[in-house]
Amino acid sequence: MTEYPEIFSITEDEIDLNTLVDFITLPSTGAAAIFTGMVRGSTTRHEPESGSGRTRHETAYLEYEAYTPMAEAKMKQVAAEIRARWPVVQGIAIVQRIGRLYPRTPTVLIACTAAHRDTGVFDAARYGIDRLKEIVPVWKKEVGPQGEVWVEGDYLPRPGE
Amino acid sequence: MTEYPEIFSITEDEIDLNTLVDFITLPSTGAAAIFTGMVRGSTTRHEPESGSGRTRHETAYLEYEAYTPMAEAKMKQVAAEIRARWPVVQGIAIVQRIGRLYPRTPTVLIACTAAHRDTGVFDAARYGIDRLKEIVPVWKKEVGPQGEVWVEGDYLPRPGE
Amino acid sequence: MNKVKVLFFATLRDKAGLRAVELELPPGMTIEQLKTMLVEKFPNLNGLMDHCLASINHEYHFDESEIPADAEIAFFPPVSGG
Amino acid sequence: MNKVKVLFFATLRDKAGLRAVELELPPGMTIEQLKTMLVEKFPNLNGLMDHCLASINHEYHFDESEIPADAEIAFFPPVSGG
């Protein structure tokens, strides 16, 4: 049984997609599905009560913080859940950038590799980002023209998660 | 209507994920789904007639060639098909690297951006790589211990494709 | 008595002005009892502890969990990373 | 007569030893007629033209398509990129 490459990281540094994908590429890898999330500087919200039906929401930057040792432990758990569901996944990278992050900046990456693209590798990456946003202890405060406000999560982990 | 960023490229240069994803990131972008394909150096094939049920197939390198102007035109068509199916997609990057490419090297990239990850952006990237492998005129010759052999495609485009 | 470390994150830390405290707890104390004790000791936490999440040694835990010796406990709102 | 350029890729170019030819074709000639003409002119193409794909000016075309003046035509096997 080969040990598959994994990287879990909470970092203040730029997320380097080239290096991360290379790290999880084996000689038998043929496909990588990668998700990155960015800071949105402007968000159009549908608000039926407003005249135009849309309002524009501006973000100057986000301030991310993490409970680092627990976040890394929960990233490992997300990877274990991915492997349980998609055993063909080879490498897994999960990275959350923290600190002050401006619009257009990648804040998070999930990447999964496999021999072929038709193995569920896309679903694996999608599952990874969904779970990260549920159980990995990271929080963000939004700073914009309207002041500072913590972004509220809504997922409540159950025992064993 | 904003003009959304698009990049279509047949190139002999390394595929730079950081630069490509940055190029298709708008101030309103919150998510990027990215697929990359790599040269597989070793492939395990299930062959029921062999004793072990598996044989190992080794590739020294792949030699890619493209009909470049038509390939770029067909990449544009793939992007138009993506936009017709997932109108929320913002930026699209489609890159095929050609020339002599060794195992572990990324050969192809499809990336799509959107405001949010639950917009079909993963499906859009998946669709993009599937279509590229059907209609974009690129071919590869595999070189390994057993000699040289052109990899056979099997998709036959219909009129209008 | 069990020595433990308690950490606060995000809104909890901001509003309570409390980043971390080291405490000595009677053996067998539960998360629920610790919350009550914290609100008594640090009145700024009043109202914040009811709906927060808790962890013991980097795993999610709930009101009935007992706190072991040398535990690292954290209280925080639902996560909002990504 | 229509001046056209014909390109060959992948197996077709390798096996026929032919990368590109410039030809003068009678107006109204179809892809099917061009294939026949090419096999007559370049016997090495014999057996290769039956199952290949064809394009005119970077769009896929089929046996019945007529070839316009100044066309760029290409013949190649099903694609295998990615």
Side-chain angles (χ1 to χ4, degrees):
Chain A
M1 166 93 199
T2 320
E3 271 298 302
Y4 284 129
E6 295 187 333
I7 185 164
F8 309 110
S9 170
I10 302 287
T11 178
E12 301 204 8
D13 298 336
E14 267 187 41
I15 296 178
D16 183 338
L17 278 68
N18 295 322
T19 304
L20 290 162
V21 172
D22 184 70
F23 184 81
I24 58 168
T25 300
L26 299 175
S28 56
T29 297
I34 308 151
F35 174 85
T36 63
M38 294 83 164
V39 178
R40 273 193 307 281
S42 62
T43 303
T44 304
R45 289 181 178 168
H46 290 266
E47 298 189 356
E49 64 273 24
S50 87
S52 72
R54 279 154 178 258
T55 60
R56 208 162 183 79
H57 176 86
E58 300 293 332
T59 302
Y61 59 85
L62 297 176
E63 191 84 46
Y64 281 77
E65 70 171 64
Y67 178 16
T68 298
M70 180 168 171
E72 290 179 349
K74 290 291 144 188
M75 286 174 169
K76 278 183 200 168
Q77 179 180 324
V78 170
E81 291 178 9
I82 288 173
R83 293 196 184 288
R85 283 165 178 73
W86 295 278
V88 294
V89 165
Q90 295 176 335
I92 299 177
I94 307 181
V95 178
Q96 171 76 54
R97 189 172 176 191
I98 58 171
R100 181 174 297 190
L101 298 175
Y102 291 87
R104 298 185 70 263
T105 309
T107 59
V108 68
L109 169 137
I110 309 270
C112 296
T113 54
H116 301 274
R117 75 186 188 290
D118 56 0
T119 49
V121 70
F122 283 88
D123 298 328
R126 170 93 207 237
Y127 179 86
I129 182 63
D130 287 349
R131 285 297 276 161
L132 179 138
K133 285 171 172 266
E134 288 178 348
I135 65 167
V136 174
V138 174
W139 304 271
K140 60 191 170 211
K141 188 156 57 174
E142 189 187 341
V143 181
Q146 47 298 82
E148 291 193 0
V149 57
W150 283 97
V151 178
E152 292 283 332
D154 54 14
Y155 188 82
L156 300 176
R158 287 153 302 175
E161 272 195 295
Chain B
M1 167 93 196
T2 321
E3 272 297 302
Y4 284 128
E6 295 187 333
I7 186 164
F8 308 110
S9 170
I10 302 287
T11 178
E12 300 204 10
D13 298 336
E14 268 188 39
I15 295 177
D16 184 337
L17 278 68
N18 295 322
T19 305
L20 289 162
V21 172
D22 184 68
F23 183 82
I24 59 168
T25 300
L26 299 174
S28 57
T29 296
I34 308 150
F35 174 85
T36 63
M38 294 83 164
V39 178
R40 273 193 308 283
S42 61
T43 303
T44 303
R45 289 182 179 166
H46 290 267
E47 297 189 357
E49 64 272 24
S50 85
S52 73
R54 278 153 180 258
T55 59
R56 210 164 182 78
H57 177 86
E58 300 292 332
T59 302
Y61 59 85
L62 297 176
E63 192 84 46
Y64 281 77
E65 71 172 62
Y67 179 16
T68 299
M70 179 168 172
E72 290 178 350
K74 290 293 145 188
M75 286 174 170
K76 277 182 202 167
Q77 179 180 323
V78 170
E81 291 178 8
I82 288 173
R83 293 196 183 287
R85 283 166 179 73
W86 294 277
V88 294
V89 165
Q90 296 177 334
I92 300 177
I94 307 181
V95 178
Q96 171 76 55
R97 190 172 177 191
I98 57 171
R100 180 174 297 190
L101 297 175
Y102 291 88
R104 297 186 70 264
T105 308
T107 58
V108 67
L109 169 137
I110 309 270
C112 297
T113 54
H116 301 275
R117 75 186 188 289
D118 56 359
T119 50
V121 70
F122 282 89
D123 298 328
R126 171 91 207 239
Y127 178 86
I129 181 65
D130 288 349
R131 285 297 276 161
L132 178 139
K133 285 171 171 267
E134 287 178 349
I135 64 166
V136 175
V138 174
W139 304 271
K140 59 192 171 208
K141 187 156 57 172
E142 190 186 339
V143 181
Q146 51 294 84
E148 291 192 0
V149 58
W150 283 98
V151 177
E152 292 281 332
D154 55 14
Y155 188 81
L156 301 177
R158 287 153 303 173
E161 271 194 297
Chain C
M1 296 292 271
N2 288 340
K3 260 178 49 177
V4 303
K5 189 170 184 182
V6 181
L7 308 173
F8 300 92
F9 289 95
T11 29
L12 268 74
R13 188 208 47 233
D14 259 19
K15 288 197 188 152
L18 211 57
R19 184 174 290 273
V21 287
E22 305 212 355
L23 298 172
E24 304 234 322
L25 305 182
M29 187 178 237
T30 65
I31 287 284
E32 186 167 29
Q33 290 165 337
L34 174 59
K35 284 181 180 176
T36 307
M37 179 184 167
L38 285 166
V39 173
E40 282 166 12
K41 254 188 160 61
F42 308 101
N44 281 348
L45 288 171
N46 198 11
L48 296 175
M49 302 301 284
D50 296 341
H51 297 292
C52 71
L53 303 179
S55 68
I56 302 175
N57 297 333
H58 310 149
E59 292 295 340
Y60 288 103
H61 277 271
F62 301 85
D63 279 353
E64 57 286 357
S65 291
E66 289 187 12
I67 297 163
D70 300 314
E72 182 174 291
I73 300 144
F75 293 103
F76 46 79
V79 307
S80 63
Chain D
M1 299 292 271
N2 287 339
K3 261 180 47 179
V4 302
K5 188 170 183 183
V6 181
L7 307 173
F8 300 91
F9 290 94
T11 28
L12 268 74
R13 188 209 46 235
D14 259 19
K15 289 196 187 152
L18 209 58
R19 184 174 289 273
V21 287
E22 305 212 355
L23 299 171
E24 304 235 323
L25 306 182
M29 188 179 236
T30 65
I31 287 284
E32 187 166 28
Q33 290 164 337
L34 174 60
K35 284 182 180 175
T36 307
M37 178 186 169
L38 284 165
V39 173
E40 282 164 12
K41 254 189 160 60
F42 309 101
N44 281 349
L45 287 172
N46 198 12
L48 296 174
M49 303 302 284
D50 296 340
H51 298 293
C52 72
L53 303 179
S55 69
I56 301 174
N57 296 334
H58 311 150
E59 291 296 338
Y60 287 104
H61 277 271
F62 301 85
D63 279 352
E64 57 286 356
S65 290
E66 289 188 13
I67 296 163
D70 300 314
E72 181 175 292
I73 300 144
F75 293 104
F76 46 78
V79 308
S80 63

